[in-house]
Amino acid sequence: MSGNNFCLGLGIGTKSSKGDWLEVYYTKPVFEPCNSLIRALAGVVGYEGGNQAIEISSDQLADLSKAFGAVNAQDQQEIAEALQGTEQPLVLCILQDDDKPASTPEVYLKLTLISQRIVQPHGTNLDGMFGLLPNVAWTNEGAVSLEDLPMRQLQARAQGKLLDVHSVDKFPKMANYVVPAGTRIAATSRVRLGAHLGEGTTIMHEGFVNFNAGTLGTSMVEGRISAGVVVGEGSDLGGGCSTMGTLSGGNNVVISVGEGCLLGANAGLGIPLGDRCTVEAGLYVTGGSKVMVLDDQNQEVEVVKAGDLAGQTDLLFRRNSQTGRIEVKTNKSAIQLNEELHANN
């Protein structure tokens, strides 16, 4: 074993009655673990290199605790000690390289890295992840496989209880796995595991953040951040606005929002925005939208596709209320975001 290792995590999770992994919880993954830590664990779990999700028994936790202690990995030692005596499935996931995931525990580890701000969106390889994530019934008693659900519901009824199914999805809500410091989330069901919320971000009740997407700093989000979309420091998304992700028509274009931008209420974005840009309320700008460029005196210059303006700074996109055409001009006034709201994020 040589060079930098990617990450490792000691996790506790849930399996179906058939023994298939449904989900895994990692409280403190180790990013770029040193070789001495990997070697210390290898003798306990039989690790021989590469990327592996190694199922372990509770009986091995004492030896793992000693191995962590021998290399001064105190956080991991505390985790191993806290898990001793559990009857829940355990896994030690070691990723030597950031290759595409090969198992459900590997996917959960990578999604956790993003939500814990250890890596940013697009900062880890998630290729093929959908085929590794089972569709799960997320209930008040945790994850339940869809095959096991009818019997679990019947058993609950027999005890005079109700098994409450909150959602049926491949992704759980992030807050059951990670609550990033310095954030507010009004409706936790609307932020999926794998979202990245920068410190100072507020997600209001109608805000939504998908996996491998999110904010890098202070933001007020009342709209939709789709998969793969990254929002820069100090940018706000107004009520009901939408960003076009790679899963929702964005194709291979990675949509992003620069710093100090504003998407107005019910606006839509299908191009990458540079810094200090504004999209007027109710206006949906896609890459193919025809846009009239105006100069500083509001004189017509030329018609271009909005995609040709991707990434440019200080732009104001608006719709002419008389002609209905989309116009763009230099956003010299640059929107002033609500400092009081940001100060109390």
Side-chain angles (χ1 to χ4, degrees):
M1 286 174 260
S2 60
N4 291 330
N5 303 293
F6 181 61
C7 67
L8 69 81
L10 177 58
I12 180 170
T14 310
K15 287 187 172 185
S16 70
S17 61
K18 290 185 175 180
D20 298 322
W21 284 105
L22 301 179
E23 56 87 38
V24 182
Y25 173 75
Y26 300 97
T27 183
K28 290 184 178 180
V30 180
F31 186 61
E32 295 185 348
C34 62
N35 286 332
S36 60
L37 175 56
I38 300 296
R39 284 193 295 266
L41 299 176
V44 178
V45 299
Y47 174 70
E48 296 180 351
N51 293 354
Q52 292 187 43
I54 305 167
E55 296 185 34
I56 61 175
S57 67
S58 58
D59 294 338
Q60 292 175 289
L61 287 171
D63 291 334
L64 281 175
S65 178
K66 293 178 182 178
F68 286 129
V71 291
N72 296 317
Q74 184 175 353
D75 287 346
Q76 301 306 304
Q77 185 177 19
E78 291 175 354
I79 293 170
E81 291 173 352
L83 292 176
Q84 289 184 26
T86 183
E87 295 181 357
Q88 293 297 113
L90 300 169
V91 63
L92 180 63
C93 191
I94 301 175
L95 302 182
Q96 196 167 20
D97 301 299
D98 187 21
D99 295 331
K100 66 180 183 179
S103 65
T104 302
E106 291 181 32
V107 175
Y108 269 81
L109 180 54
K110 291 192 169 195
L111 294 176
T112 300
L113 291 177
I114 298 172
S115 289
Q116 288 196 359
R117 303 175 183 155
I118 295 173
V119 300
Q120 291 188 359
H122 306 289
T124 182
N125 188 345
L126 295 172
D127 292 348
M129 62 176 290
F130 284 102
L132 301 171
L133 290 176
N135 225 12
V136 172
W138 302 99
T139 78
N140 59 312
E141 295 184 0
V144 178
S145 75
L146 298 186
E147 291 183 354
D148 294 339
L149 183 61
M151 182 55 68
R152 287 285 296 274
Q153 289 173 316
L154 179 61
Q155 291 170 345
R157 296 275 182 168
Q159 299 172 18
K161 301 177 182 179
L162 175 67
L163 186 68
D164 188 10
V165 179
H166 302 147
S167 68
V168 178
D169 196 3
K170 288 179 175 288
F171 294 81
K173 59 184 181 182
M174 183 189 73
N176 280 349
Y177 295 78
V178 181
V179 179
T183 60
R184 289 195 290 145
I185 307 172
T188 56
S189 63
R190 296 183 60 80
V191 181
R192 283 171 141 185
L193 181 63
H196 183 289
L197 302 187
E199 186 167 359
T201 290
T202 292
I203 311 296
M204 294 303 292
H205 294 80
E206 294 303 315
F208 172 83
V209 188
N210 214 331
F211 73 96
N212 206 26
T215 64
L216 300 182
T218 301
S219 291
M220 176 67 68
V221 180
E222 298 181 89
R224 179 182 180 88
I225 302 179
S226 298
V229 176
V230 180
V231 178
E233 163 70 34
S235 290
D236 287 358
L237 274 64
C241 75
S242 177
T243 53
M244 186 183 292
T246 54
L247 302 179
S248 57
N251 299 316
N252 294 323
V253 177
V254 178
I255 307 303
S256 59
V257 178
E259 298 183 357
C261 294
L262 174 65
L263 296 189
N266 296 315
L269 182 67
I271 65 170
L273 282 185
D275 297 338
R276 300 176 302 281
C277 291
T278 301
V279 178
E280 180 185 75
L283 176 62
Y284 207 121
V285 179
T286 66
S289 298
K290 297 297 180 64
V291 180
M292 174 60 74
V293 178
L294 304 179
D295 63 18
D296 291 343
Q297 287 73 45
N298 289 327
Q299 298 299 308
E300 299 177 358
V301 178
E302 61 177 333
V303 175
V304 300
K305 288 185 178 181
D308 295 337
L309 303 173
Q312 295 190 28
T313 61
D314 300 299
L315 298 179
L316 167 63
F317 292 88
R318 68 188 188 187
R319 187 176 295 281
N320 188 301
S321 60
Q322 293 182 310
T323 66
R325 74 184 180 187
I326 301 174
E327 299 175 341
V328 63
K329 62 178 299 183
T330 301
N331 186 22
K332 284 192 173 181
S333 61
I335 47 101
Q336 295 297 315
L337 303 179
N338 191 320
E339 294 183 1
E340 182 179 357
L341 282 177
H342 282 185
N344 289 278
N345 279 2

